[in-house]
Amino acid sequence: MATDDEYPVPGVDQTHAELEAHEKGPAGYGMVWVECVLTGDLLSAWALLDDPFRLALAQQWIHANREDADVARFDRDDLAHDLSSPQCVQHPLWPRVHDAVLAELRRDLAGWDAVRLGFLSRPRPVSPGYEVVVLGQGTEVKVIDHSRPMVAYPMLMHLTERGWLIARAGADTAPVPGWPPTFPPGRIITRVDS
């Protein structure tokens, strides 16, 4: 059992080693992703997304714009594959996808401040290779005090051979690629009230 001096924040029953492992693992990657979105660096944020999530986001954009002549001239499966790849910047439609997806992600994070970003919970494994991270806004520490009402932002993380990737942002359930893709509601509430 850990001693009191191993707990860095009063009321948080995690040792420095546990907090460091979580912050250098899935929580840290989630925070980096949020910082990329908030600073408008979608290309870096795109690279931190798990392949099925990127594919579902590309399919969502294609489906929403399926009547557009520039979109309709492409085979939708090929277009989704091209736009969800790391080399998507080469595609002529990427600037439009970039602007639309970035605007949507930033809308979800409206009012968030990367400097005050922290994680709200211990690691929450949900299945082999998957873990839920819940982010929130703190003040001086990377672990948030649970005694205050706050907005929470859950993220489903996936441990891959490329490291931790975001399998879903804003929810703790994975999207299902398809025509149209589906984004099941999460099981974790996004507003924590006392």
Side-chain angles (χ1 to χ4, degrees), residues 87-194:
Q87 289 79 29
C88 57
V89 295
Q90 303 302 321
H91 198 282
L93 292 177
W94 172 247
R96 290 178 56 193
V97 173
H98 173 279
D99 293 348
V101 171
L102 185 59
E104 183 177 333
L105 295 172
R106 290 179 108 179
R107 207 172 17 255
D108 288 348
L109 293 166
W112 284 66
D113 177 2
V115 174
R116 296 178 49 231
L117 195 60
F119 51 93
L120 299 176
S121 67
R122 299 184 94 113
R124 295 180 183 190
V126 291
S127 65
Y130 287 88
E131 189 169 304
V132 173
V133 169
V134 182
L135 302 180
Q137 295 283 268
T139 52
E140 299 174 7
V141 294
K142 292 289 185 188
V143 178
I144 311 297
D145 176 4
H146 292 273
S147 65
R148 300 184 318 225
M150 66 183 65
V151 176
Y153 191 75
M155 299 179 79
L156 180 63
M157 306 298 291
H158 182 204
L159 183 58
T160 70
E161 57 189 37
R162 292 182 7 224
W164 284 102
L165 298 175
I166 292 84
R168 174 90 183 268
D172 60 347
T173 55
V176 180
W179 298 107
T182 57
F183 295 83
R187 294 177 300 267
I188 293 178
I189 58 170
T190 57
R191 181 171 291 278
V192 179
D193 295 312
S194 57

